[in-house]
């Protein structure tokens, strides 16, 4: 019987993934040029779909953003700061940001001053919501195929979990910076490779019989899921949006404990062993603490230092909640209709039967 620590050896090396297939004229344009040496781009085709959730637009922005993370196999690193590509990204971001503002809606409260930022975040994240809970569905009625689909959707974020928020660190100071570093240190496993949350998620994918390689499921990942990752990358890459990035992380940490517990329970129901559940179970414990650090040390800490950022902190919080609500709605609608929520059925992406450790209970 292997020890849990042996099972937790991450199966996912930090390799640059292959480029995906295009989904329309804009993503085709980006893909066509990225395989060449960096050079000045001709004018890009006009967007043909929604700048936030559209398949073509979301993928085009995602492709450009990945150049700031692990890049792609066969793509020259020089594209990251090629001025003409940066100019295209700025155009895409302008349309993206306008749609995020639509989705996030207006702030109903008083954005002035720092009083009550933590309390307002608690109120936003611990309210009644609209009653549609993805984790509750998966825990109570989800099938193994649903669990795998959910893991595939999340893989484009969880395999780089914490990385976009790390961009906030050099932009913060004092108490807010210390709070961010405390959270991030845990996300990176305190410096232990096999305890990094992104490594733990790779183990979960493997235990579900899925491919744990970074970017393995990009072709199957729909635009509304890419939008959740583009949102945090957008906030992360811009110093101007450091307040929104902090609000985004605060909501992330403050909405984690109960859902993570439900996903762990669902995995247990299908006989997935401790290694596969570890990612979720770690979050139940860690985020019970991170929730407080994020709301009080980080968000309220930043608001105290820079009161002018209160509106941005709350905007970032509303933005992630809105984009995640769309994600939840799209998955639950697809499943209610008996179809896959991915761009291809889960049957065509499972590489192995899951490593079932015990009889489902
Ligand atoms: Fe985490
Ligand atoms: Fe956390």
């Amino acid at each position: 019987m292997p020890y849990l620590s042996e099972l937790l050896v991450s199966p996912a090396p930090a390799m640059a993934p292959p480029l995906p297939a295009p989904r329309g004229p804009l993503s085709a344009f980006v893909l066509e040029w990225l395989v060449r040496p960096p050079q000045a781009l001709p004018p890009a085709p006009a967007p043909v779909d929604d700048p936030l959730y559209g398949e073509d637009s979301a993928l085009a922005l995602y492709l450009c953003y990945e150049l700031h993370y692990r890049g792609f196999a066969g793509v020259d690193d020089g594209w990251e700061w090629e001025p003409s590509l940066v100019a295209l990204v700025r155009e895409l971001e302008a349309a993206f940001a306008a749609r995020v503002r639509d989705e996030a809606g207006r702030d109903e409260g008083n954005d002035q001053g720092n009083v009550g930022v933590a309390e307002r975040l608690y109120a936003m994240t611990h309210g009644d919501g609209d009653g549609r809970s993805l984790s509750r569905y998966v825990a109570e009625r989800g099938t193994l195929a649903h669990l795998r689909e959910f893991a595939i959707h999340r893989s484009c974020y969880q395999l780089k979990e914490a990385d976009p928020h790390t961009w906030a660190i050099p932009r913060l100071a004092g108490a807010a910076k210390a709070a961010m570093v405390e959270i991030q240190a845990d996300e990176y496993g305190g410096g232990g490779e096999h305890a990094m949350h992104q490594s733990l998620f790779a183990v979960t994918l493997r235990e579900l019989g899925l491919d744990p390689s970074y970017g393995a499921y990009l072709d199957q990942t729909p635009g509304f899921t890419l939008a959740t990752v583009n949102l945090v990358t957008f906030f992360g890459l811009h110093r101007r949006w450091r307040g929104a990035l902090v609000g985004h992380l605060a909501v992330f940490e403050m909405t984690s404990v109960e859902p993570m517990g439900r996903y762990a329970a669902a995995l247990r129901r299908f006989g997935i062993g401790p290694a596969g559940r570890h990612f979720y179970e770690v979050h139940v414990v860690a985020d019970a603490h991170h929730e407080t650090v994020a709301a009080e040390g980080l968000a309220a800490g930043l608001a105290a230092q820079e009161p002018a950022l209160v509106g941005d902190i709350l905007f970032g919080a509303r933005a992630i909640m809105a984009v995640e609500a769309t994600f939840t709605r799209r998955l639950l609608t697809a499943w209610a209709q008996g179809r896959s929520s991915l761009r291809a059925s889960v049957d065509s992406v499972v590489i192995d039967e899951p490593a079932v450790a015990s009889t489902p209970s």
Side-chain angles (χ1 to χ4, degrees):
M1 183 77 179
Y3 288 106
L4 181 59
S5 59
E6 292 169 19
L7 291 168
L8 289 175
V9 172
S10 173
M15 306 287 283
L19 286 166
R23 301 182 190 179
L26 202 50
S27 55
F29 174 84
V30 173
L31 287 163
E32 177 191 331
W33 284 94
L34 285 185
V35 294
R36 305 183 195 185
Q39 58 194 284
L41 293 171
V48 293
D49 57 11
D50 179 32
L52 177 58
Y53 298 125
E55 296 296 333
D56 189 39
S57 295
L59 180 62
L61 187 57
Y62 188 88
L63 289 168
C64 298
Y65 277 167
E66 280 301 300
L67 302 176
H68 299 289
Y69 294 104
R70 299 190 201 179
F72 291 98
V75 174
D76 192 303
D77 286 340
W79 277 112
E80 182 183 10
W81 294 110
E82 160 55 39
S84 58
L85 187 66
V86 173
L88 172 60
V89 170
R90 298 293 288 142
E91 280 178 39
L92 300 178
E93 286 181 333
F96 177 87
R99 283 287 294 114
V100 171
R101 282 197 189 86
D102 290 347
E103 292 287 294
R106 298 177 65 81
D107 181 44
E108 301 294 326
N110 173 18
D111 274 358
Q112 302 304 310
N114 62 27
V115 177
V117 166
E119 290 75 7
R120 291 186 60 188
L121 289 169
Y122 280 118
M124 285 171 68
T125 54
H126 292 72
D128 292 339
D130 66 0
R132 305 194 82 186
S133 164
L134 193 57
S135 61
R136 198 168 282 130
Y137 182 97
V138 169
E140 292 170 3
R141 296 153 57 192
T143 64
L144 186 54
H146 291 147
L147 262 177
R148 286 166 165 164
E149 277 195 26
F150 176 68
I152 288 169
H153 279 288
R154 288 302 195 204
S155 64
C156 59
Y157 176 71
Q158 306 284 22
L159 290 175
K160 58 174 173 276
E161 184 178 324
D163 291 347
H165 295 114
T166 299
W167 280 316
I169 293 173
R171 296 165 182 168
L172 299 175
K177 185 183 200 119
M180 175 64 93
V181 170
E182 182 184 355
I183 293 169
Q184 296 300 88
D186 288 343
E187 303 297 336
Y188 291 111
E193 179 191 353
H194 305 317
M196 294 199 297
H197 292 185
Q198 46 189 257
S199 304
L200 297 181
F201 195 73
V203 172
T204 293
L205 289 170
R206 183 194 65 198
E207 297 296 299
L208 281 167
L210 298 169
D211 187 343
S213 312
Y214 186 92
Y217 294 109
L218 183 48
D219 276 326
Q220 286 79 28
T221 305
F224 64 83
T225 303
L226 297 180
T228 65
V229 189
N230 286 342
L231 179 71
V232 66
T233 306
F234 171 65
F235 288 154
L237 283 174
H238 294 271
R239 181 178 188 280
R240 181 259 173 274
W241 289 113
R242 64 196 181 284
L245 185 65
V246 161
H248 183 285
L249 179 59
V251 165
F252 209 88
E253 301 294 341
M254 296 170 79
T255 55
S256 170
V257 173
E258 287 183 19
M260 289 293 188
R262 293 190 193 111
Y263 293 125
L267 286 164
R268 194 178 300 114
R269 185 155 62 84
F270 289 105
I272 304 295
R277 300 196 308 262
H278 198 53
F279 171 85
Y280 296 103
E281 289 170 349
V282 158
H283 280 90
V284 172
V285 177
D287 290 343
H289 177 57
H290 290 172
E291 165 168 50
T292 309
V293 179
E296 291 161 25
L298 179 59
L302 179 61
Q305 291 169 341
E306 298 193 71
L309 294 184
V310 168
D312 285 348
I313 295 169
L314 297 172
F315 168 67
R318 292 197 312 280
I320 179 179
M321 291 187 72
V323 171
E324 287 292 327
T326 298
F327 174 81
T328 294
R329 194 166 57 245
R330 298 283 186 103
L331 263 66
L332 292 181
T333 299
W335 292 346
Q337 295 170 351
R339 59 182 172 85
S340 170
S341 59
L342 296 169
R343 284 169 52 82
S345 160
V346 72
D347 297 336
S348 64
V349 293
V350 169
I351 57 168
D352 270 321
E353 280 309 298
V356 175
S358 60
T359 308
S361 54

